[in-house]
């Protein structure tokens, strides 16, 4: 039997790997990239030359950085989402009301992507410079509040597809890494109507998230509110208050759009 499935193009995958490595390193030299990706320097040089020529990378001395040519692609991908404009307004409103971080996250190919992020007045300076919370960042779904909220609203078959593809990697000592524990957590989320992240993504950070669904039950995204542990209390009354605020915003959004 002939296998008609498309095969990955190695040269394309190599270029993508280089771009990701440059991005993740916040700039890297040819030698650093060759060592990190275990590629020949001559091969890396050829890819880098092409990427620079096309504007996807720029060179500053011996260091390569992601170029602005990516900007229109990313902005198009973000704004084409049907909920983006309305969700953006809600994110800033939530950040202003709570003083905490707020974001709107969607799922694509089994990963969670932040479409919009805003920081409230009380949170300014509360997170380290290495904070992963900014628009455009990608996360696993099992260790962030928005991701777990979306998983809880998906069919079990889809959840298992995501686990099979991406696994349940640990990012802190608090991350859920056992499949049975995750399904127990998803059941609890369905019962209470919101998800929590208690230092599961990064140490010292808590958040609460709830999903947005269409009338036919399709998951279209999730909102979350979060902040450093010293300010985000774990007591039930505070959690319920934030969850209620999220629920009210999501109900209003769903009523207006669907």
């Amino acid at each position: 039997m002939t296998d008609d499935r498309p095969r990955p193009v190695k040269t394309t995958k190599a270029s993508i790997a280089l771009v990701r490595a440059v991005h993740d390193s916040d700039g890297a030299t040819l030698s650093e990239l060759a060592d990190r990706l275990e590629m020949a320097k001559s091969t890396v040089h050829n890819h880098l030359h092409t990427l620079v020529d096309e504007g996807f990378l720029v060179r500053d001395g011996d260091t390569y950085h992601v170029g602005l040519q990516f900007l229109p692609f990313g902005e198009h991908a973000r704004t084409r989402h049907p909920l983006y404009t309305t969700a953006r307004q809600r994110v800033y409103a939530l950040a202003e009301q709570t003083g905490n971080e707020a974001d709107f996250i969607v799922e694509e190919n089994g990963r969670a992507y932040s479409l919009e992020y805003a920081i409230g007045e009380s949170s300014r300076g509360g997170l380290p410079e290495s904070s992963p919370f900014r628009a455009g960042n990608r996360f696993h779904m099992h260790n962030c509040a928005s991701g777990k909220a979306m998983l809880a609203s998906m069919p079990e078959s889809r959840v298992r597809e995501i686990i099979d593809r991406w696994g349940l990697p640990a990012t802190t000592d608090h991350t859920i890494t056992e499949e049975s524990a995750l399904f127990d957590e998803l059941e609890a989320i369905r019962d209470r109507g919101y998800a929590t992240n208690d230092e599961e993504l990064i140490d010292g950070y808590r958040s609460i998230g709830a999903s947005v669904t269409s009338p036919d039950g399709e998951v279209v995204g999730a909102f979350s509110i979060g902040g450093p542990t010293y300010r985000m209390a774990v007591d039930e009354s505070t959690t319920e208050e934030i969850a209620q605020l999220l629920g009210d915003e999501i109900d209003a959004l769903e009523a207006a759009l669907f």
Side-chain angles (χ1 to χ4, degrees), residues 101 126-133 143-144 170-176 197-207 226-232:
E101 290 91 13
L127 289 173
E129 292 183 3
S130 59
S131 168
F133 301 101
N143 60 355
C144 62
T171 49
T172 75
D173 291 340
H174 303 282
T175 306
I176 296 174
N197 157 29
D198 190 6
E199 300 189 77
E200 296 166 53
L201 179 61
I202 59 174
D203 289 318
Y205 188 87
R206 294 192 181 106
S207 61
T229 51
Y230 66 81
R231 198 178 60 254
M232 286 288 290

Side-chain angles (χ1 to χ4, degrees), residues 210 242-252:
I242 294 175
Q244 184 62 53
L245 178 60
L246 276 173
D248 291 343
E249 287 289 334
I250 290 172
D251 288 345

Side-chain angles (χ1 to χ4, degrees), residues 159-200:
V159 176
R160 292 192 182 279
E161 286 176 0
I162 292 172
I163 294 173
D164 289 344
R165 180 172 183 181
W166 299 108
L168 299 173
T171 49
T172 75
D173 291 340
H174 303 282
T175 306
I176 296 174
T177 57
E178 296 293 332
E179 187 174 310
S180 59
L182 177 62
F183 278 102
D184 287 344
E185 175 76 358
L186 298 183
E187 183 63 32
I189 292 168
R190 285 188 284 269
D191 289 341
R192 65 176 177 255
Y194 61 88
T196 60
N197 157 29
D198 190 6
E199 300 189 77
E200 296 166 53

